[in-house]
Amino acid sequence: MQMTMSQKILAAHAGKESVSPGELVMADLDMVLANDITAPVAINEYRKAGASCVFDCRKIALVMDHFTPNKDIKAAEQTKKVREFAAEKKIENFFDVGSMGIEHALLPERGLVVAGDLVIGADSHTCTYGALGAFSTGVGSTDMAVGMAHGKAWFKVPRAMKFNLRGSLPQWVSGKDVILHIIGKIGVDGALYKSMEFSGPGVASLSMDDRLCICNMAIEAGAKNGIFPVDEQTRKYMSEHSQKTPVEFSADPGAEYDQVMDIDLSSLQSTVAFPHLPSNTRTFADMPVVPIDQVVIGSCTNGRLSDMQAAARILKGRKVNPRVRTIIFPATQKIYLEALRQGLLEIFIEAGAAVSTPTCGPCLGGHMGILAKGERAVATTNRNFVGRMGHPESEVYLSSPEVAAASAVTGVITDPATL
Amino acid sequence: MKITGTVIRYGDNVDTDVIIPARYLNTSNPKELAAHCMEDLDPTFVKRVKAGDIMVGGNNFGCGSSREHAPIVIKESGIACVVAKSFARIFYRNAINIGLAIVEFSGDIDEGDKLEIDFDNGVIRNLSKNTRGEFPPFPEFLQKIISKGGLFPAMEALT
């Protein structure tokens, strides 16, 4: 049986020689993740089931990143519940304010996920870690609770789509544009239940941050996971960040793909997803004038150091438009500190932007940048559904950090190449 | 098992942000959450939903976030079953894991239609249109989760 990379990782963790698409398997987990919104529901289920010990206190990560620093009393009660659970179960990877970052930037940075791992997280963007050659996917709180108790989860073995990348990205174009381009082509359910496997000579030209960003949004095409092959860059990243031993898998030459899409990276342009679906994409050749009220740069999609650097390149020596509230969120404490050391935060503040401690806050309309009725934001986040960042009649336009920073300066959605 | 109920119908890509907006996720209490079910898509839902109603969607129902709060609020609202042309995968597994009945079916159904769903035989009857359609049964593996009343109690049978 010729298998894809994702199928091989599932087979290895299910203790099987091979698996076939559609087969339901029970597999052993290397990491189980939840945050301050999904963990409380999981803890309720865990307690209801009368489970006592967790399967492995080193293989559970609880990250307090969504409504933290606590946005209100109820949020404070929720994180308290998780904090007490983590202490009771001696969970090693509990990250609270001060050590926490946005989970999908934090776990790779802390070396908690490496190639060959099987990871579930009670957060849909858990698919991010495919960039490291791991199989990782979002699940709900009950799956997470069972994962904490048993170290296992059930999976339907996915079919796959292959994205053959060649060339390299032009100036001002980055990983976000790659994934928005793909979602624009295949739609928000274009990869439903499937793996999105990236391959080809163009992979080498993409940075780890680009790959993490691309896999992060696989879920926005309905995919079960996104995954990149392991190469020199991946190995270097893992050796710099992790003590764990990676296991490299690669797709068999005869692996089956429902669809193969060839993408010439050098032909891609800055891409913006208009409301209210990530698939509603446009490039600047076809862009009306869209005045904006807010810019958000950050999130598990684009809050990494290279995103901060990209925004700083544009904002250096410029001022943000006084009509545009510009909020920049480095995704982890380490990124924050490095941005400080490199002088990026100074550039942002001098440009008139606010810089915040890490939080998912505005991306999901939680806190720290909520939109009023009729307002528009350009955001480097991952979803632009109705009401996502605030009032149901507000609008979110998804873009790269380059486009977001350029738009902050002009006050309308702007191609960074024209600034 | 057989249920009969009245249809509340929505379109394609009903996302978890409209099923339960994130601004209300500072609690995990199902009753508190259910007061806001479907709020950003259909503010009339909570006033008009009756126990036993059937929610119908188009393609990719439940896309977006992994929040289990989404199937929880639909169940808590009294919806007996969600019927959709297709489901987003996390919503699909969450519904099974928490015991919310779901059916993949692409027949012609309108708002207010009366449906009879026969789960044992995989048959949907639209009593208002006098039509009948079939849907495939769940694989045995998933039936075990459903019959045990959720994933936790089923783990012994599954491993």
Side-chain angles (χ1 to χ4, degrees), chain A residues 24-26 36-38 40-42 44-46 49 51 67 71-72 74-75 78 81 121-124 137-143 145-146 149-150 152-156 188-189 192-194 219-220 222-225 276-277 364-366 383 385-388 390-392, chain B residues 12-18 21-30 32-33 36 39-41 59-61 63-69 72 85-94 96-98 102 104 138-142 145 150-159:
Chain A
L24 287 153
V25 296
M26 191 60 84
D36 52 306
I37 287 182
T38 57
V41 179
N44 292 349
E45 289 304 307
Y46 194 93
F67 289 171
K71 82 176 180 107
D72 54 26
K74 284 182 172 180
Q78 299 244 85
K81 178 189 264 198
D123 187 280
S124 59
T137 190
V139 296
S141 294
T142 298
D143 274 312
V146 168
H150 296 275
K152 288 174 187 293
W154 63 271
F155 297 91
K156 183 170 158 186
V188 289
D189 59 355
L192 198 60
Y193 293 100
K194 295 177 186 173
I219 177 69
E220 310 314 334
K224 183 161 198 148
N225 69 316
H276 288 285
L277 284 176
L364 73 164
R383 292 202 173 116
F385 299 149
V386 170
R388 176 75 179 177
H391 194 279
Chain B
D12 289 339
N13 302 314
V14 172
D15 63 75
T16 53
D17 276 295
V18 295
R23 59 184 177 274
Y24 301 120
L25 299 183
N26 54 2
T27 174
S28 52
N29 178 313
E32 273 181 65
L33 289 162
H36 305 287
E39 189 173 289
D40 285 358
L41 179 65
N59 286 308
N60 204 25
F61 187 95
C63 62
S65 151
S66 69
R67 64 189 72 150
E68 201 160 289
H69 315 65
I72 288 173
K85 288 180 184 165
S86 65
F87 288 91
R89 55 160 288 276
I90 306 178
F91 185 93
Y92 181 92
R93 64 186 292 139
N94 285 348
I96 288 168
N97 287 344
I98 68 151
I102 52 171
E104 271 183 329
F138 286 111
E140 200 189 323
F141 187 97
L142 300 186
I145 301 177
L151 183 59
F152 249 118
M155 278 305 280
E156 206 175 319
L158 295 173
T159 49

Side-chain angles (χ1 to χ4, degrees), chain A residues 271-335:
Chain A
T271 303
V272 177
F274 275 46
H276 288 285
L277 284 176
S279 57
N280 192 13
T281 56
R282 289 174 184 241
T283 58
F284 282 93
D286 168 36
M287 188 89 64
V289 175
V290 184
I292 55 167
D293 304 286
Q294 179 165 297
V295 162
V296 171
I297 299 175
S299 84
C300 60
T301 316
N302 283 119
R304 298 185 181 81
L305 188 64
S306 61
D307 301 312
M308 298 295 117
Q309 290 165 335
R313 269 196 296 278
I314 287 167
L315 293 176
K316 190 172 185 178
R318 294 193 170 103
K319 293 279 181 203
V320 303
N321 188 296
R323 286 184 296 103
V324 182
R325 298 153 345 232
T326 303
I327 316 169
I328 303 179
F329 298 80
T332 66
Q333 291 288 80
K334 191 177 172 191
I335 296 166

Side-chain angles (χ1 to χ4, degrees), chain B residues 122-138:
Chain B
V123 175
I124 288 194
R125 284 192 182 78
N126 188 327
L127 305 176
S128 308
K129 292 191 164 48
N130 211 9
T131 55
R132 178 188 180 282
E134 290 178 7
F135 60 91
F138 286 111

Side-chain angles (χ1 to χ4, degrees), chain A residues 34-224:
Chain A
N35 56 51
D36 52 306
I37 287 182
T38 57
V41 179
I43 293 167
N44 292 349
E45 289 304 307
Y46 194 93
R47 302 236 191 255
K48 241 196 291 175
S52 52
C53 296
V54 295
F55 86 109
D56 189 334
C57 60
R58 294 161 305 172
K59 295 185 177 175
I60 296 166
L62 297 171
V63 187
M64 305 299 94
D65 58 357
H66 274 60
F67 289 171
T68 55
N70 301 140
K71 82 176 180 107
D72 54 26
I73 294 169
K74 284 182 172 180
E77 297 292 343
Q78 299 244 85
T79 51
K80 185 162 174 261
K81 178 189 264 198
V82 185
R83 192 175 298 121
E84 287 169 356
F85 180 85
E88 178 191 322
K89 303 298 178 197
K90 301 187 169 55
I91 308 277
E92 280 188 12
N93 300 301
F94 172 70
F95 299 102
D96 211 335
V97 170
S99 68
M100 71 86 175
I102 296 177
E103 50 197 341
H104 309 307
L106 189 68
L107 264 58
E109 181 189 286
R110 292 270 181 160
L112 295 176
V113 180
V114 292
D117 278 353
L118 179 60
V119 181
I120 60 165
D123 187 280
S124 59
H125 295 106
T126 303
C127 51
T128 307
Y129 320 129
L132 298 164
F135 184 112
S136 64
T137 190
V139 296
S141 294
T142 298
D143 274 312
M144 191 273 168
V146 168
M148 282 199 293
H150 296 275
K152 288 174 187 293
W154 63 271
F155 297 91
K156 183 170 158 186
V157 177
R159 306 182 69 79
M161 291 170 84
K162 182 155 135 178
F163 298 85
N164 225 341
L165 311 179
R166 65 189 153 87
S168 59
L169 293 170
Q171 198 186 8
W172 308 117
V173 179
S174 59
K176 184 63 159 286
D177 301 298
V178 177
I179 191 65
L180 286 176
H181 170 80
I182 290 172
I183 297 167
K185 292 280 178 213
I186 68 175
V188 289
D189 59 355
L192 198 60
Y193 293 100
K194 295 177 186 173
S195 296
M196 295 171 78
E197 298 210 356
F198 299 92
S199 68
V203 167
S205 74
L206 294 172
S207 69
M208 286 313 296
D209 284 0
D210 281 329
R211 299 179 200 184
L212 289 159
C213 171
I214 291 169
C215 285
N216 174 272
M217 286 189 70
I219 177 69
E220 310 314 334
K224 183 161 198 148

